[in-house]
Amino acid sequence: MDKNVFLGGAGEDYKQPQSLTLKYANRHGLIAGATGTGKTVTLQILAEGFSKAGVPVFLSDVKGDLSGLAKAGSEGHKLHQAFQDRASRIGFTDYVYAACPVTFWDLFGEQGHPVRTTVTEMGPLLLSRLMNLSEAQEGILNIAFRVADEEGMPLLDLKDLQALLVWIGENRAQLSLRYGNVSTASVGAIQRRLLVLENEGGTNLFGEPALELSDLMRTDENGQGVVNILASDKLMGSPRLYATFLLWLLSELFEELPEVGDPDKPKLVFFFDEAHLLFEDAPKVLVDKVEQVARLIRSKGVGVYFISQNPADIPEDILGQLGNRVQHALRAFTARDRKNLRLAAETYRENPAFDTETAIREVGVGEAVTSMLQKKGVPGIVERTLIRPPATHLGPIAPADRKAVLAASPMQAKYGELKDRKSAFEILKARADQAALAAAEAEENEEKQTMAEREFATARRYSGSRVGRSSSRGMRQKDTFASAMSEAVIKELKGTTGRKIVRGILGGLFRAK
């Protein structure tokens, strides 16, 4: 297997080979440039190179063009002669058309195998980001995860979370004493966000069987790395869902893969297209998490490559960790554009042969300013590079070709059918059904009771033993009558008239003296 991924030719005559060294491919990278400058083709030829070297790849196909990786280029393509001319110009002597082993994935299950995770695996932090929750709402979501864990209720899909939130709202008084205030307003707000997420297609993301990371890190019988393509053209209609899913996948790789140090080649290369979506309106805690993953995941043998229109879309702390760079043309129509162009040029190791800022502005379609890590991980001198032509089909493949690839994939049998095992929704429903049954039985038993038993049960009849007759009944009546009169007199004396009588009597007594 090759130890390098060939990118193209540099120098005055474009004969100087420019390659990405596999040993440093897990040091991450950046592909940047304005729309229409060739970023997608660069991503395609990098995926080809990694696959040929036996490195599995995961990438998102935002426009549908990258499905062409599953099919070899052909002499009948309209750009065949242009590709041959470019290969000859850069000295690409072993240029031949060839397909890559490809597995198609799709959150919606339409253009690829369904790819799912569970609510529990997604976690409260990413779910809060996905639903754009406030701090108070995120706190209640954390309570929900804690309760689910303590009660032994798996959270697999959205209906599990919805049912648990209903239960939390009904028991908010008890939960507030233990976890802090649980307001019905916040619970209702989360439920509304879940409804929006459902409408955006989020229901398809959650469930089982959940994606196993090992299925993204396969090679074929010839030792080529499988290229995993996530159909994202429809998914881009929900940019927050798209960014959160890819961030979840990156986090799972970070948490589950073992440390491997500095391997001779990556175990997986992860391309994050439209990377600016990951950082737009993201809270600091989320950006910090991405930075942590980017900094440490290379020791797990994973290389992460961000694709965006402008390097300024990437936070500086993360941008500084992207050692392998392919910078296509940037336009400078405004003062802000010129500032971004200057900042982009300053991040490269200067080449005395040309001005980097000018080169970034002037490179044509299919040409780029490149800088790859060299020996000991030192950034290479910036070069103007003519990107090599792709060996796979340029552009999307036909629907029939996609179906054929899907039918031949072993992933269809594993992920094709949704499974719904017992989880929080079923557990809470069983509890509610049991409580309803107990209430119905109690009501039925009450109907069977006699009238006297019901009166007794409701404290309307006293069934204690009677007191025997007494021979002093008349005395009791007199006593009772006298007591009643006494009470009446005392009551009257306590009133206004009584006070006047008392004052009159006392006054008469004092006058008599």
Side-chain angles (χ1 to χ4, degrees), residues 7-36:
L7 291 177
E12 291 185 4
D13 55 359
Y14 294 111
K15 294 292 186 180
Q16 180 182 339
Q18 290 296 300
S19 300
L20 189 159
T21 304
L22 286 173
K23 182 177 178 60
Y24 303 115
N26 64 332
R27 303 289 182 93
H28 311 320
L30 172 71
I31 302 173
T35 300

mmCIF file of all heavy atoms in Angstrom, residues 7-36:
data_model
loop_
_atom_site.group_PDB
_atom_site.id
_atom_site.type_symbol
_atom_site.label_atom_id
_atom_site.label_comp_id
_atom_site.label_asym_id
_atom_site.label_seq_id
_atom_site.Cartn_x
_atom_site.Cartn_y
_atom_site.Cartn_z
ATOM 1 N N LEU A 7 -1.830 14.405 -4.333
ATOM 2 C CA LEU A 7 -2.783 15.499 -4.506
ATOM 3 C C LEU A 7 -2.700 16.161 -5.870
ATOM 4 O O LEU A 7 -3.719 16.548 -6.448
ATOM 5 C CB LEU A 7 -2.548 16.576 -3.442
ATOM 6 C CG LEU A 7 -2.883 16.217 -1.990
ATOM 7 C CD1 LEU A 7 -2.503 17.371 -1.084
ATOM 8 C CD2 LEU A 7 -4.352 15.905 -1.851
ATOM 9 N N GLY A 8 -1.493 16.335 -6.379
ATOM 10 C CA GLY A 8 -1.323 17.023 -7.645
ATOM 11 C C GLY A 8 0.109 17.490 -7.824
ATOM 12 O O GLY A 8 1.020 17.043 -7.105
ATOM 13 N N GLY A 9 0.304 18.381 -8.774
ATOM 14 C CA GLY A 9 1.642 18.869 -9.087
ATOM 15 C C GLY A 9 1.798 20.342 -8.760
ATOM 16 O O GLY A 9 0.864 21.138 -8.916
ATOM 17 N N ALA A 10 3.007 20.712 -8.283
ATOM 18 C CA ALA A 10 3.286 22.102 -7.916
ATOM 19 C C ALA A 10 4.513 22.584 -8.684
ATOM 20 O O ALA A 10 5.063 21.879 -9.539
ATOM 21 C CB ALA A 10 3.513 22.205 -6.408
ATOM 22 N N GLY A 11 4.955 23.775 -8.370
ATOM 23 C CA GLY A 11 6.121 24.338 -9.047
ATOM 24 C C GLY A 11 5.718 25.092 -10.305
ATOM 25 O O GLY A 11 4.540 25.148 -10.683
ATOM 26 N N GLU A 12 6.704 25.648 -10.963
ATOM 27 C CA GLU A 12 6.444 26.447 -12.153
ATOM 28 C C GLU A 12 5.811 25.641 -13.271
ATOM 29 O O GLU A 12 4.947 26.136 -13.994
ATOM 30 C CB GLU A 12 7.758 27.077 -12.644
ATOM 31 C CG GLU A 12 8.312 28.149 -11.707
ATOM 32 C CD GLU A 12 9.536 28.830 -12.284
ATOM 33 O OE1 GLU A 12 9.890 28.492 -13.454
ATOM 34 O OE2 GLU A 12 10.125 29.687 -11.623
ATOM 35 N N ASP A 13 6.239 24.401 -13.415
ATOM 36 C CA ASP A 13 5.696 23.569 -14.496
ATOM 37 C C ASP A 13 4.701 22.535 -13.980
ATOM 38 O O ASP A 13 4.272 21.647 -14.710
ATOM 39 C CB ASP A 13 6.831 22.864 -15.243
ATOM 40 C CG ASP A 13 7.720 22.064 -14.299
ATOM 41 O OD1 ASP A 13 7.455 22.079 -13.069
ATOM 42 O OD2 ASP A 13 8.675 21.429 -14.786
ATOM 43 N N TYR A 14 4.359 22.608 -12.696
ATOM 44 C CA TYR A 14 3.406 21.696 -12.039
ATOM 45 C C TYR A 14 3.863 20.240 -12.077
ATOM 46 O O TYR A 14 3.050 19.323 -12.038
ATOM 47 C CB TYR A 14 2.014 21.809 -12.684
ATOM 48 C CG TYR A 14 1.359 23.148 -12.472
ATOM 49 C CD1 TYR A 14 1.181 24.003 -13.567
ATOM 50 C CD2 TYR A 14 0.936 23.566 -11.224
ATOM 51 C CE1 TYR A 14 0.588 25.248 -13.403
ATOM 52 C CE2 TYR A 14 0.337 24.813 -11.046
ATOM 53 C CZ TYR A 14 0.165 25.650 -12.135
ATOM 54 O OH TYR A 14 -0.415 26.883 -11.973
ATOM 55 N N LYS A 15 5.156 20.034 -12.113
ATOM 56 C CA LYS A 15 5.690 18.668 -12.152
ATOM 57 C C LYS A 15 6.153 18.192 -10.775
ATOM 58 O O LYS A 15 6.497 17.024 -10.602
ATOM 59 C CB LYS A 15 6.877 18.601 -13.119
ATOM 60 C CG LYS A 15 6.521 18.842 -14.583
ATOM 61 C CD LYS A 15 5.688 17.716 -15.149
ATOM 62 C CE LYS A 15 5.469 17.907 -16.656
ATOM 63 N NZ LYS A 15 4.658 16.818 -17.249
ATOM 64 N N GLN A 16 6.164 19.079 -9.801
ATOM 65 C CA GLN A 16 6.636 18.724 -8.469
ATOM 66 C C GLN A 16 5.492 18.066 -7.688
ATOM 67 O O GLN A 16 4.498 18.718 -7.393
ATOM 68 C CB GLN A 16 7.133 19.988 -7.742
ATOM 69 C CG GLN A 16 7.657 19.729 -6.334
ATOM 70 C CD GLN A 16 8.086 21.021 -5.663
ATOM 71 O OE1 GLN A 16 8.356 22.019 -6.331
ATOM 72 N NE2 GLN A 16 8.130 20.995 -4.337
ATOM 73 N N PRO A 17 5.621 16.777 -7.356
ATOM 74 C CA PRO A 17 4.512 16.074 -6.696
ATOM 75 C C PRO A 17 4.184 16.665 -5.327
ATOM 76 O O PRO A 17 5.073 16.999 -4.547
ATOM 77 C CB PRO A 17 5.032 14.640 -6.555
ATOM 78 C CG PRO A 17 6.176 14.525 -7.507
ATOM 79 C CD PRO A 17 6.782 15.880 -7.594
ATOM 80 N N GLN A 18 2.922 16.789 -5.058
ATOM 81 C CA GLN A 18 2.432 17.233 -3.759
ATOM 82 C C GLN A 18 1.570 16.107 -3.179
ATOM 83 O O GLN A 18 0.579 15.699 -3.790
ATOM 84 C CB GLN A 18 1.609 18.513 -3.890
ATOM 85 C CG GLN A 18 2.431 19.726 -4.253
ATOM 86 C CD GLN A 18 3.436 20.061 -3.151
ATOM 87 O OE1 GLN A 18 3.073 20.327 -2.004
ATOM 88 N NE2 GLN A 18 4.713 20.055 -3.502
ATOM 89 N N SER A 19 1.967 15.611 -2.020
ATOM 90 C CA SER A 19 1.281 14.464 -1.424
ATOM 91 C C SER A 19 1.034 14.694 0.061
ATOM 92 O O SER A 19 1.746 15.464 0.728
ATOM 93 C CB SER A 19 2.114 13.183 -1.611
ATOM 94 O OG SER A 19 2.319 12.902 -2.977
ATOM 95 N N LEU A 20 0.020 14.020 0.552
ATOM 96 C CA LEU A 20 -0.299 14.018 1.977
ATOM 97 C C LEU A 20 0.266 12.725 2.566
ATOM 98 O O LEU A 20 -0.081 11.635 2.120
ATOM 99 C CB LEU A 20 -1.816 14.091 2.174
ATOM 100 C CG LEU A 20 -2.360 14.315 3.587
ATOM 101 C CD1 LEU A 20 -3.784 14.870 3.519
ATOM 102 C CD2 LEU A 20 -2.387 13.033 4.404
ATOM 103 N N THR A 21 1.156 12.855 3.522
ATOM 104 C CA THR A 21 1.785 11.673 4.119
ATOM 105 C C THR A 21 0.818 10.984 5.076
ATOM 106 O O THR A 21 0.267 11.622 5.980
ATOM 107 C CB THR A 21 3.060 12.079 4.889
ATOM 108 O OG1 THR A 21 3.933 12.786 3.992
ATOM 109 C CG2 THR A 21 3.773 10.862 5.427
ATOM 110 N N LEU A 22 0.587 9.686 4.868
ATOM 111 C CA LEU A 22 -0.380 8.959 5.679
ATOM 112 C C LEU A 22 -0.025 8.983 7.163
ATOM 113 O O LEU A 22 -0.911 8.981 8.020
ATOM 114 C CB LEU A 22 -0.475 7.513 5.194
ATOM 115 C CG LEU A 22 -1.217 7.293 3.867
ATOM 116 C CD1 LEU A 22 -1.086 5.844 3.416
ATOM 117 C CD2 LEU A 22 -2.684 7.666 4.011
ATOM 118 N N LYS A 23 1.253 9.002 7.471
ATOM 119 C CA LYS A 23 1.682 8.993 8.865
ATOM 120 C C LYS A 23 1.183 10.226 9.616
ATOM 121 O O LYS A 23 0.955 10.189 10.834
ATOM 122 C CB LYS A 23 3.213 8.908 8.940
ATOM 123 C CG LYS A 23 3.765 8.833 10.364
ATOM 124 C CD LYS A 23 5.261 8.670 10.345
ATOM 125 C CE LYS A 23 5.838 8.634 11.751
ATOM 126 N NZ LYS A 23 5.296 7.529 12.567
ATOM 127 N N TYR A 24 0.989 11.322 8.862
ATOM 128 C CA TYR A 24 0.531 12.563 9.483
ATOM 129 C C TYR A 24 -0.910 12.909 9.095
ATOM 130 O O TYR A 24 -1.382 14.005 9.375
ATOM 131 C CB TYR A 24 1.461 13.710 9.096
ATOM 132 C CG TYR A 24 2.900 13.465 9.470
ATOM 133 C CD1 TYR A 24 3.883 13.331 8.486
ATOM 134 C CD2 TYR A 24 3.282 13.344 10.807
ATOM 135 C CE1 TYR A 24 5.201 13.095 8.830
ATOM 136 C CE2 TYR A 24 4.595 13.102 11.147
ATOM 137 C CZ TYR A 24 5.558 12.968 10.154
ATOM 138 O OH TYR A 24 6.867 12.719 10.498
ATOM 139 N N ALA A 25 -1.590 11.963 8.501
ATOM 140 C CA ALA A 25 -2.956 12.235 8.063
ATOM 141 C C ALA A 25 -3.924 12.356 9.232
ATOM 142 O O ALA A 25 -5.005 12.939 9.088
ATOM 143 C CB ALA A 25 -3.434 11.132 7.110
ATOM 144 N N ASN A 26 -3.549 11.781 10.402
ATOM 145 C CA ASN A 26 -4.426 11.915 11.575
ATOM 146 C C ASN A 26 -4.188 13.220 12.330
ATOM 147 O O ASN A 26 -4.739 13.417 13.416
ATOM 148 C CB ASN A 26 -4.234 10.725 12.519
ATOM 149 C CG ASN A 26 -2.841 10.662 13.109
ATOM 150 O OD1 ASN A 26 -1.881 11.137 12.492
ATOM 151 N ND2 ASN A 26 -2.708 10.081 14.283
ATOM 152 N N ARG A 27 -3.368 14.112 11.738
ATOM 153 C CA ARG A 27 -3.157 15.438 12.338
ATOM 154 C C ARG A 27 -4.198 16.438 11.832
ATOM 155 O O ARG A 27 -4.051 17.638 12.020
ATOM 156 C CB ARG A 27 -1.748 15.943 12.009
ATOM 157 C CG ARG A 27 -0.618 15.008 12.445
ATOM 158 C CD ARG A 27 -0.441 14.964 13.946
ATOM 159 N NE ARG A 27 0.663 14.106 14.335
ATOM 160 C CZ ARG A 27 1.907 14.511 14.548
ATOM 161 N NH1 ARG A 27 2.222 15.785 14.378
ATOM 162 N NH2 ARG A 27 2.850 13.653 14.922
ATOM 163 N N HIS A 28 -5.208 15.916 11.156
ATOM 164 C CA HIS A 28 -6.366 16.709 10.724
ATOM 165 C C HIS A 28 -6.020 17.634 9.560
ATOM 166 O O HIS A 28 -4.856 17.787 9.173
ATOM 167 C CB HIS A 28 -6.961 17.509 11.881
ATOM 168 C CG HIS A 28 -7.186 16.683 13.122
ATOM 169 N ND1 HIS A 28 -7.672 15.394 13.079
ATOM 170 C CD2 HIS A 28 -6.993 16.966 14.443
ATOM 171 C CE1 HIS A 28 -7.778 14.929 14.326
ATOM 172 N NE2 HIS A 28 -7.355 15.850 15.156
ATOM 173 N N GLY A 29 -7.073 18.240 8.994
ATOM 174 C CA GLY A 29 -6.852 19.078 7.820
ATOM 175 C C GLY A 29 -8.029 19.984 7.523
ATOM 176 O O GLY A 29 -9.075 19.944 8.177
ATOM 177 N N LEU A 30 -7.820 20.811 6.518
ATOM 178 C CA LEU A 30 -8.816 21.796 6.106
ATOM 179 C C LEU A 30 -8.860 21.869 4.589
ATOM 180 O O LEU A 30 -7.829 21.910 3.921
ATOM 181 C CB LEU A 30 -8.447 23.171 6.680
ATOM 182 C CG LEU A 30 -9.274 24.367 6.195
ATOM 183 C CD1 LEU A 30 -10.679 24.303 6.778
ATOM 184 C CD2 LEU A 30 -8.597 25.687 6.586
ATOM 185 N N ILE A 31 -10.084 21.884 4.060
ATOM 186 C CA ILE A 31 -10.301 22.177 2.644
ATOM 187 C C ILE A 31 -11.214 23.393 2.597
ATOM 188 O O ILE A 31 -12.359 23.338 3.067
ATOM 189 C CB ILE A 31 -10.964 20.994 1.903
ATOM 190 C CG1 ILE A 31 -10.113 19.728 2.037
ATOM 191 C CG2 ILE A 31 -11.178 21.334 0.435
ATOM 192 C CD1 ILE A 31 -10.780 18.480 1.470
ATOM 193 N N ALA A 32 -10.710 24.490 2.055
ATOM 194 C CA ALA A 32 -11.474 25.733 2.063
ATOM 195 C C ALA A 32 -11.473 26.359 0.682
ATOM 196 O O ALA A 32 -10.625 26.048 -0.166
ATOM 197 C CB ALA A 32 -10.906 26.711 3.099
ATOM 198 N N GLY A 33 -12.428 27.252 0.463
ATOM 199 C CA GLY A 33 -12.498 27.947 -0.819
ATOM 200 C C GLY A 33 -13.917 28.368 -1.135
ATOM 201 O O GLY A 33 -14.891 27.820 -0.607
ATOM 202 N N ALA A 34 -14.023 29.354 -1.992
ATOM 203 C CA ALA A 34 -15.336 29.864 -2.375
ATOM 204 C C ALA A 34 -16.105 28.834 -3.188
ATOM 205 O O ALA A 34 -15.541 27.848 -3.693
ATOM 206 C CB ALA A 34 -15.168 31.157 -3.182
ATOM 207 N N THR A 35 -17.410 29.053 -3.311
ATOM 208 C CA THR A 35 -18.267 28.146 -4.080
ATOM 209 C C THR A 35 -17.789 28.060 -5.526
ATOM 210 O O THR A 35 -17.509 29.069 -6.167
ATOM 211 C CB THR A 35 -19.719 28.655 -4.035
ATOM 212 O OG1 THR A 35 -20.157 28.706 -2.676
ATOM 213 C CG2 THR A 35 -20.633 27.721 -4.812
ATOM 214 N N GLY A 36 -17.699 26.828 -6.025
ATOM 215 C CA GLY A 36 -17.337 26.617 -7.419
ATOM 216 C C GLY A 36 -15.860 26.598 -7.716
ATOM 217 O O GLY A 36 -15.459 26.612 -8.883
#
